[in-house]
Amino acid sequence: MEKQTPLTEALFYILLSVRKPNHGYGIIQEVEGLTKGRVVLGPGTLYGAIQTMTARGWIRIYSEETESRKKKEYIITDLGRKIFAEEKKRLAELLQNAEKMEEGTW
Amino acid sequence: MVKFKLMFNKDKETDYLNEMAKQGYAMTGFFAGVYTFDSCRPGDYIYQVDITEGMFRVSNDYREFMQEMGVEIICLWGPWVILRKKAAEGPFVLYTDVESTIEHYQKIKKMFKIATIVEIMCIMTELISAVRMREESGMALPLGFACLMAVFPLAFFREIARVEGILRELRERIGMESARNAWTGIGRLSGFFSLGLILHAIGFLIPRMDGSGWLSMVQEPAKEAFHVLALIFMIVGLVLTMRGHRE
């Protein structure tokens, strides 16, 4: 199995955006909002990420169809949450160590 | 409007389609190098070219996804998908981070490698059938086709080398090592070499005529002239390629 963390920024934010059921366009908007417009996912990037994460079992399809409009919704799985938690731990360590920079030189 | 253009470089093709759209021509179809255009309001659409796993088809997943994004699938050609979006709906870029762009170009490189192998096998078949011919006149046709077909692997090599260059730059940007390889060298193969091959093919494909008459008088020298010219072009091509390597 290939190394799965650190997550790419795209995977990280997509996982975060499907903590509750969300569809493709909704994910793009949420990520854009969370990053204040810094990360705007292109359709190719998002499609590839969804395919990869579905195959790895990090996310799954939540609902396929809603009456007339076909709109797939995705939601994070338990495995996805585990991966995200590991990444969060790693990021926390980075941030904690980053504080040392303020302690000055010795 | 109909235009003929052979393009192997997907980035150039994207630029071309967007330039046409800017001038009020929206691409609507493609078949073997022939692009068809409808008129549109200048700048109405943004075009993008994607590559998928399938040939001449995309998965339902892909189709539904693009539809939800407001992206229209205009046509499929081999593994290529030509997409467009209304410019009024905002910017349209398919791959927005380094990681997915790397994946995209890796797919393209793999496709060109497979295409090259298939093409070389076809050339071999032609050459074998040429060798099997007893008479010289029978050899001309397969030899001519083999020369014509050889132009494609050369174009594919250039593409592989170009894509390899892009990949190296992208990998460097995220601190990934990329293995050194020979593609860049082959990619600099001069265009003269391909031209030589085409001239050879024309030389082979000019039919040999029996009997007298001015046509048959002209034909033999013309055939020879094409072959000689072809050789000159190929030698120039090789020399230029070597020079390119030294620089």
Side-chain angles (χ1 to χ4, degrees), chain A residues 23-25 42-45 47 72, chain B residues 59 61 68 93-96 100:
Chain A
H23 55 87
Y25 195 65
T45 300
Y47 180 77
K72 255 184 202 156
Chain B
S59 61
D61 263 358
E68 195 199 324
V93 182
L94 281 175
Y95 298 96
T96 45
S100 60

Side-chain angles (χ1 to χ4, degrees), chain B residues 6-7 17 21 35-36 40 43 50 57 62-63 65 67 76 90 159 162 165 171 174 178 182 192 213 226 230 232 238:
Chain B
L6 268 187
M7 276 185 283
L17 294 177
Y35 291 83
T36 44
C40 68
D50 200 5
R57 56 172 290 278
Y62 188 90
R63 202 172 281 281
F65 184 87
Q67 197 183 347
L76 306 170
E159 257 320 279
R162 183 185 74 89
R171 287 192 189 118
I174 54 168
S178 52
F192 278 102
F226 271 112
I232 293 172
L238 276 181

Side-chain angles (χ1 to χ4, degrees), chain B residues 7-48:
Chain B
M7 276 185 283
F8 297 108
N9 179 338
K10 96 136 281 206
D11 297 311
K12 255 193 192 161
E13 185 181 25
T14 309
D15 291 347
Y16 170 70
L17 294 177
N18 282 320
E19 189 47 47
M20 290 300 280
K22 226 178 259 175
Q23 290 168 20
Y25 301 102
M27 187 259 204
T28 52
F30 177 85
F31 186 87
V34 179
Y35 291 83
T36 44
F37 294 92
D38 272 354
S39 54
C40 68
R41 272 184 311 172
D44 246 359
Y45 297 104
I46 303 169
Y47 281 82
Q48 284 293 343

Side-chain angles (χ1 to χ4, degrees), chain B residues 16-209:
Chain B
Y16 170 70
L17 294 177
N18 282 320
E19 189 47 47
M20 290 300 280
K22 226 178 259 175
Q23 290 168 20
Y25 301 102
M27 187 259 204
T28 52
F30 177 85
F31 186 87
V34 179
Y35 291 83
T36 44
F37 294 92
D38 272 354
S39 54
C40 68
R41 272 184 311 172
D44 246 359
Y45 297 104
I46 303 169
Y47 281 82
Q48 284 293 343
V49 181
D50 200 5
I51 187 165
T52 60
E53 310 289 345
M55 290 295 273
F56 295 97
R57 56 172 290 278
V58 289
S59 61
N60 278 338
D61 263 358
Y62 188 90
R63 202 172 281 281
E64 282 164 23
F65 184 87
M66 287 304 167
Q67 197 183 347
E68 195 199 324
M69 295 294 145
V71 174
E72 236 182 303
I73 297 174
I74 298 301
C75 81
L76 306 170
W77 184 259
W80 301 106
V81 189
I82 295 181
L83 304 161
R84 81 174 176 200
K85 194 176 167 179
K86 286 221 168 73
E89 289 173 15
F92 178 34
V93 182
L94 281 175
Y95 298 96
T96 45
D97 63 6
V98 178
E99 290 87 358
S100 60
T101 314
I102 288 178
E103 265 174 55
H104 176 62
Y105 280 107
Q106 272 170 343
K107 270 188 213 166
I108 294 175
K109 196 174 87 176
K110 189 175 151 203
M111 189 278 293
F112 275 116
K113 279 187 178 173
I114 295 170
T116 305
I117 292 169
V118 171
E119 196 65 31
I120 286 174
M121 287 198 299
C122 293
I123 295 168
M124 293 308 236
T125 328
E126 289 291 335
L127 287 180
I128 289 168
S129 73
V131 170
R132 280 199 181 150
M133 295 285 175
R134 288 286 161 83
E135 289 158 48
E136 205 197 322
S137 58
M139 284 170 67
L141 208 62
L143 278 181
F145 278 129
C147 282
L148 271 188
M149 279 192 284
V151 173
F152 285 95
L154 292 184
F156 295 166
F157 281 154
R158 283 171 162 240
E159 257 320 279
I160 293 173
R162 183 185 74 89
V163 168
E164 190 55 53
I166 294 173
L167 279 171
R168 184 166 319 134
E169 203 174 290
L170 289 170
R171 287 192 189 118
E172 258 167 35
R173 222 188 290 170
I174 54 168
M176 262 169 76
E177 286 282 321
S178 52
R180 288 181 59 82
N181 60 57
W183 287 112
T184 32
I186 299 170
R188 281 202 219 106
L189 194 59
S190 167
F192 278 102
F193 202 83
S194 308
L195 210 57
L197 278 171
I198 294 174
L199 288 173
H200 256 320
I202 296 172
F204 281 124
L205 292 178
I206 292 177
R208 216 175 272 274
M209 285 231 186

